[in-house]
Amino acid sequence: MSAPNKSYDPVEVEALKPEEIARMRDEALAAIAAAGDLDALHEVKVAHTGDRSPLALANREIGALPPKAKADAGKRVGQARGAVNQALKARQTELEADRDARVLVEEAVDVTLPHDRVPAGARHPLTTLSERIEDVFVAMGYEVAEGPEVEAEWFNFDALNFTPDHPARAMQDTFFIEPATEDPAAGSSTAKGSAAEDQSGVVLRTHTSPVQVRALLDREPPVYVICPGRVYRTDELDATHTPVFTQVELLAIDEGLTMADLKGTLDHMVQALFGEGMSTRLRPAYFPFTEPSAEMDMECYVCRGESVGNPDRPCRTCSSEGWIELGGCGMVNPRVLTACGVDPKKYSGFAFGFGIERMLMFRHNVEDMRDMVEGDVRFTRPFGMEI
């Protein structure tokens, strides 16, 4: 075996010549600088730092050099490869910054646009207003009472002192479900209803007053209840009428109640719903279940009475009358108390009722009642999701 070549000159290896290594380095640096994006830079990295790159092949030639020549050649190749790697890192940082800046511009999101295509829902304003009315009276100590919408004729008429020939019993006013088995008026004044309820017909309730009767039958006085719910009448659907509407009634039974208590309760309700300073007035009227009876008017919440006799300031809301009719009220008829088993000599009470649709029209200037029942979300959505 021959001895190692101690006089081997690395300069004679073409790939390790200083000028050749400098050329490889400069070509790599030029290619790195010319890379326009990260994909191009990746191709340059593979071509100039991969296993088959010129500098990698030159590095392999170092192993064949004599020990004394390896250090100098390794230093030159290492410096060249280090310069290439440093340039790659710097160029990659630049290109990543350019990419991120471009993405911010090209993929910008307008945060002022709706975040989805599903519109927000809304509660029906009749439900919201009904609950607000309930809150007013619950705060005064009243209880919310409910009853069936398909009601015995005894609860709907007889117990409330409707005579057998009262117009409200006619088919053109009431939806009858089942006819009476015999004359329902035969037991109309019987205490606690007795068998009269079983003998009466079945109707869709025309008002929520039957709930008041049930409340008196189920509770011992004093009784303070508010009764909201749907009622049914054979009306045509038009701008101011609907066969199905929402009504709320109030009943207060206690010792010593008078019309003054009724008037104070009405004033509080109107001010709670329409604002401070609103007042009410009572006009004589007739209802079978109250005596004395009255129609309740509230002060016009738009003109506050200033349009009366003032042609320069007409008011469409109250027709320049200064008052708006809201509903009926009065002291509970002693016959109703007797029919429900309450002693009229010991207890007295008052009641009133009104349609919530009518109040909604007042509060929000709704001109057509059909908008409330047609289910168009464009009507309900502006009222929002008040809870």
Side-chain angles (χ1 to χ4, degrees), residues 203-240:
V203 300
L204 292 179
R205 66 183 183 188
T206 58
H207 45 190
T208 54
S209 298
V211 184
Q212 300 181 17
V213 176
R214 291 181 176 273
L216 289 176
L217 292 173
D218 295 339
R219 299 165 175 81
E220 292 294 331
V223 175
Y224 292 87
V225 295
I226 181 173
C227 315
R230 285 193 297 265
V231 298
Y232 305 84
R233 296 181 187 176
T234 54
D235 292 331
E236 294 292 335
L237 178 61
D238 56 32
T240 57

Side-chain angles (χ1 to χ4, degrees), residues 12 31 83 166 368:
E12 297 301 326
H166 195 281
D368 196 326

Side-chain angles (χ1 to χ4, degrees), residues 299-315 318 320-323:
E299 184 181 15
C300 178
Y301 59 92
V302 176
C303 70
R304 297 295 180 99
E306 296 181 4
S307 64
V308 179
N310 186 0
D312 295 330
R313 189 185 174 183
C315 179
C318 66
S320 298
E321 295 180 359
W323 297 92

Side-chain angles (χ1 to χ4, degrees), residues 112 171 176 185 191 248 272:
T112 64
M171 291 295 292
F176 279 84
V248 60

Side-chain angles (χ1 to χ4, degrees), residues 127 139 158 198 236 299 316 330 353:
T127 302
D158 297 301
D198 298 330
E236 294 292 335
E299 184 181 15
R316 294 176 53 190

